[in-house]
Amino acid sequence: MIGSDYVLEAHNIFHTTEVEGGGCFSGGDTSALVLKCVNLTVHSGEVMAILGSKGSGKRALLDVIARRGDGSTRGQVLLNGAPLTKSLFQQRCGYVTHSVNFIPGLTVSQTLHYTPTIFTGYLKASKVRQILADLALSQVSNKRVEYLTISEKRRLAIGVQLVRDPVMLLLDEPTQGLDPLSAYLLISILSNSAKKSGCGVLLSLEKPRSDVFPFLDRALFLCLGGVVYSGGTRAMLEYFHGIGFPCPQLENPLMYYLCLSTVDRRAQYYPDFETIP
């Protein structure tokens, strides 16, 4: 268990990189500003969702925080007030992408055991057992990785990072390709793990379902690289209502405000929206 509180902050992030032709930024391959003055804050034990349609800058933001983004970046990414360098990120944080390759022939349990960590012997075995239980993988602990379902592989990829005991965990579209029940299970597991271990979680979502809303502590809405809203999910409803955009009673607030913020893709700035601490 993480013994102290950690805070991940991003201040005034601008990021320029090459974008593919036919996207929302340009008609041909060219250099474009894909993140514009992005600010966010995530504390230990919190789950923050980065929401936006394709081309909004979700993956670019995760890559910038993880210090693996191509292109030019301005602004600050801090962990407990210290610059989050690539080395510090690799030591204290984790990043779950879609390109995770497991070693064929190994079981789920072996994959976690062979992941390099600071733990050894009994402590590592105990850690692995706990992660298997937390990620609902105990029943498939002796199953070879090549025979896992998509949902099980996604949870194992998370386990590979959690066994390293990160203080912050980033995930790129963790629910993509999952059925509704598996997506709900994964987000609920991440929320429970964050509260239990104190690890902060930052994940991107393109089509959030209403049933994951209770598991999110914070939300960041992006459109064309700009911030529409950044702050607590509870304050989100009150904020949008206050500026004249109340969420209809039977609507999914995550999708409603996602659709609202991307309705006019020609808009470059949002003078009515602001960042909420």
Side-chain angles (χ1 to χ4, degrees):
M1 174 157 317
I2 297 169
S4 57
D5 184 51
Y6 282 83
V7 182
L8 174 67
E9 300 171 276
H11 297 290
N12 302 319
I13 299 298
F14 290 81
H15 184 66
T16 302
T17 189
E18 295 293 321
V19 295
E20 296 179 0
C24 58
F25 294 101
S26 67
D29 291 352
T30 185
S31 181
L33 186 63
V34 296
L35 293 174
K36 311 166 189 176
C37 197
V38 176
N39 296 274
L40 65 84
T41 301
V42 186
H43 294 264
S44 293
E46 291 184 335
V47 178
M48 182 176 204
I50 303 175
L51 303 157
S53 59
K54 185 176 181 180
S56 62
K58 301 189 300 299
R59 182 174 297 172
L61 179 56
L62 290 176
D63 285 344
V64 166
I65 294 173
R67 294 313 193 209
R68 56 191 294 171
D70 296 325
S72 173
T73 303
R74 290 188 289 119
Q76 287 186 309
V77 180
L78 308 173
L79 183 63
N80 274 14
L84 184 57
T85 62
K86 185 174 183 178
S87 175
L88 181 58
F89 183 90
Q90 292 173 342
Q91 292 173 16
R92 306 312 311 271
C93 306
Y95 192 2
V96 180
T97 67
H98 280 209
S99 59
V100 178
N101 294 316
F102 302 115
I103 301 176
L106 291 185
T107 65
V108 170
S109 181
Q110 289 171 335
T111 298
L112 295 177
H113 272 290
Y114 294 151
T115 299
T117 70
I118 61 173
F119 303 105
T120 58
Y122 173 79
L123 287 178
K124 187 166 187 179
S126 177
K127 181 77 172 177
V128 168
R129 284 195 300 270
Q130 187 61 59
I131 288 175
L132 288 171
D134 291 344
L135 297 181
L137 291 172
S138 297
Q139 296 298 319
V140 295
S141 62
N142 294 320
K143 193 175 183 179
R144 288 169 56 174
V145 293
E146 56 263 41
Y147 300 128
L148 298 177
T149 65
I150 295 177
S151 176
E152 290 165 348
K153 286 182 178 179
R154 200 68 55 82
R155 281 178 275 141
L156 178 56
I158 293 171
V160 167
Q161 295 301 322
L162 289 181
V163 78
R164 298 175 51 246
D165 213 19
V167 299
M168 291 289 163
L169 181 64
L170 279 59
L171 303 100
D172 180 23
E173 296 280 1
T175 62
Q176 188 179 73
L178 300 182
D179 61 81
L181 182 58
S182 295
Y184 175 86
L185 174 65
L186 188 144
I187 298 299
S188 65
I189 283 174
L190 284 172
S191 176
N192 291 334
S193 179
K195 301 299 184 291
K196 182 177 180 179
S197 69
C199 176
V201 175
L202 186 60
L203 56 91
S204 60
L205 295 172
E206 185 173 344
K207 297 179 181 179
R209 292 171 50 84
S210 59
D211 54 7
V212 306
F213 184 78
F215 299 114
L216 305 179
D217 302 290
R218 291 176 177 267
L220 171 67
F221 286 87
L222 289 176
C223 181
L224 300 179
V227 175
V228 177
Y229 174 84
S230 180
T233 49
R234 292 186 179 181
M236 179 186 76
L237 298 175
E238 182 179 337
Y239 168 71
F240 279 110
H241 187 279
I243 63 172
F245 297 98
C247 180
Q249 188 173 3
L250 299 180
E251 289 282 351
N252 170 6
L254 297 174
M255 280 303 298
Y256 180 76
Y257 290 121
L258 178 57
C259 293
L260 183 67
S261 64
T262 57
V263 120
D264 184 0
R265 298 184 67 82
R266 297 167 299 176
Q268 297 296 312
Y269 302 99
Y270 299 88
D272 292 329
F273 299 131
E274 62 183 27
T275 298
I276 304 298

